[in-house]
Amino acid sequence: MPDPNGFLRYGRQLPARRPVPVRIKDWREVYPPASDQLITEQATRCMDCGIPFCHDGCPLGNRIPDWNDLVRTGNWAAAISSLHATNNFPEFTGRLCPAPCEAACVLGIGGVDPVAIKQVEVEIINRAFDLDLVTPQQVGEPTGKRVAVVGSGPAGLAAAQQLARAGHAVTVYERDDAIGGLLRYGIPDFKLEKEHIDRRMAQLTAEGVQFRTGVNVGVDITAEALRAEHDAVLLACGALAGRDTPATPGRQLRGVHQAMAHLVAANRVVSGLATSTPIDAAGKHVVIIGGGDTGADCLGVAHRQGAAGVHQLDLYPEPPHSRDADRDPWPTWPWVLRNYPAHEEGGERVFAVAVQEFVDDGTGQVRAVRIAEVTVEKVDGRRILTLVPGSERELPADLVLLAIGFDGTEEQPLLDQLGVTRNARGAVDSRPDWQTGTDGVFVAGDMHRGASLIVWAIAEGRAAAAAIHTYLGGAGELPAPVNPASRPLAVR
């Protein structure tokens, strides 16, 4: 029986982050493991509500009250079993998900800090690996059916694991030199050390999943050949086409780069696959355009590379520090200021500004970014930006990183070869059964919904796997997300 007074006895608390002067000297994760006492107290704050709205906030339908109470009573084996029932990779979501479940926590009705669901989740999987509770699972009798999964991000890996456990022969194709997609080369190690990917890959390999790296499907192997070798194909290639500002004067200058180019190059150095990066912030004045997760990742990387100074620009006004119940009533995702660990490491955030020009130093190299303050108002659902007269100024910039979002999946020969189409958002069109317009070709993850959360990618991978299993005539049903229609986070 959960403790109904737990949230009254214990306040919300997270493990202390590693000290800034220490952590910016390396690439290790910011958060150390939580103590047993801390995580037990945090799990005790969960009341096991009669109607747990944390489920409503989670696209995977994680059984949050169940495993909170199992942690409260110290039953780690049962806790990881409950967590794995809905989430293939809690070590990823527990580190990277923004936790919409916490925004929907019932404690929020009374203005109380929500249960630290994300922290409990990551501690469950940490303990599970420490106690050797994460082992290869029994797979079903071979079905004789072969499935190709193109892309090895969280959507592709979740689908591959589900299908392999159902007895299908699964091969994952990855054009990069290592498995993991953006988890591997897009997410810095201070958020996700790559050992977490490697040990999960060992489990999938033991369960029969085959991995082929360095294969650009559509180039190194044609779609025709791929389909000839497999009974179904799942496209899970992500949404990597970065938004750009081609009309901004000076965009062509040296030193102006897409954020992902910076992050990928830095990750390859950290992994030991490269000795230097062509986009190095060391000793430079850096301007990051974009106030979201990717911008914060660039900020943390710039600190660790030794930037002389960093400005992070946001087009919109500074959000409030707490939920406005009139504007964002519980359990909706609130518009509030989100501070990432990188923000306490240094740099300056500048809100409500728009870039007017990348300024040339006379040699074709950027030397500054000219910005102007803006006001933003919504008219008929559209944002109207107005420049503030006389507000223009320059920020010194030797390196500019564009972290302004993604425009869907990249152009690929594979899509034309398969005959699939993309919509106005740059995502691949699909039917309700996750099939594209081409029979036997399915799509999931960011390639299907556009750039989104890792928890959505895993949910879509599981749902697509269930659809593929049915398409192949598989006996029984594969577990799909409990809550595939969960509300997406509001776009502002």
Side-chain angles (χ1 to χ4, degrees), residues 66-331:
D66 292 357
W67 39 259
N68 270 328
D69 197 50
L70 291 166
V71 169
R72 181 183 70 86
T73 57
N75 194 338
W76 294 103
I80 188 58
S81 179
S82 178
L83 181 50
H84 269 154
T86 56
N87 186 352
N88 297 67
F89 312 123
E91 64 272 34
F92 304 154
T93 55
R95 288 173 169 82
L96 304 176
C97 181
C101 54
E102 294 187 10
C105 176
V106 169
L107 291 180
I109 297 175
V112 179
D113 288 336
V115 174
I117 299 169
K118 178 178 174 178
Q119 191 65 45
V120 176
E121 178 181 20
V122 78
E123 294 303 335
I124 292 173
I125 188 60
N126 286 348
R127 300 299 199 283
F129 274 113
D130 290 344
L131 297 171
D132 293 325
L133 299 174
V134 183
T135 58
Q137 299 299 295
Q138 182 177 0
V139 299
E141 289 294 322
T143 64
K145 302 293 186 180
R146 299 183 58 82
V147 182
V149 176
V150 185
S152 68
L157 294 179
Q161 185 166 60
Q162 296 295 99
L163 289 164
R165 289 176 175 178
H168 305 301
V170 181
T171 302
V172 176
Y173 293 84
E174 170 57 55
R175 65 182 177 181
D176 240 324
D177 54 10
I179 294 298
L182 284 185
L183 295 174
R184 174 73 65 178
Y185 291 130
I187 303 296
D189 276 42
F190 55 79
K191 289 176 65 177
L192 178 74
E193 293 184 39
K194 302 310 179 274
E195 66 173 352
H196 303 300
I197 304 174
D198 295 337
R199 59 188 182 184
R200 189 60 79 170
M201 294 310 96
Q203 183 196 36
L204 267 68
T205 299
E207 292 174 355
V209 177
Q210 300 291 315
F211 294 103
R212 293 188 59 185
T213 57
V215 179
N216 188 353
V217 180
V219 177
D220 300 321
I221 178 174
T222 66
E224 181 181 10
L226 188 76
R227 298 209 66 193
E229 295 177 11
H230 300 88
D231 301 289
V233 174
L234 174 64
L235 303 177
C237 306
L240 302 178
R243 289 184 187 145
D244 211 326
T245 60
T248 303
R251 171 60 184 90
Q252 79 287 350
L253 295 175
R254 297 191 308 276
V256 182
H257 302 276
Q258 285 284 350
M260 288 311 305
H262 177 234
L263 294 176
V264 170
N267 271 338
R268 295 186 70 83
V269 171
V270 174
S271 70
L273 294 174
T275 57
S276 62
T277 170
I279 310 175
D280 198 336
K284 295 178 180 178
H285 294 283
V286 181
V287 172
I288 301 166
I289 302 174
D293 286 12
T294 302
D297 291 348
C298 291
L299 179 63
V301 170
H303 293 323
R304 286 158 179 77
Q305 289 180 337
V310 187
H311 288 88
Q312 184 180 6
L313 311 185
D314 197 320
L315 184 63
Y316 301 107
E318 182 174 348
H321 289 241
S322 59
R323 184 198 295 264
D324 183 329
D326 292 331
R327 184 191 59 243
D328 298 313
W330 173 91

Side-chain angles (χ1 to χ4, degrees), residues 426-451:
V428 172
D429 289 315
S430 73
R431 305 197 299 257
D433 65 354
W434 301 91
Q435 281 195 83
T436 66
T438 301
D439 183 65
V441 178
F442 298 74
V443 63
D446 286 2
M447 197 173 195
H448 169 253
R449 68 183 296 111

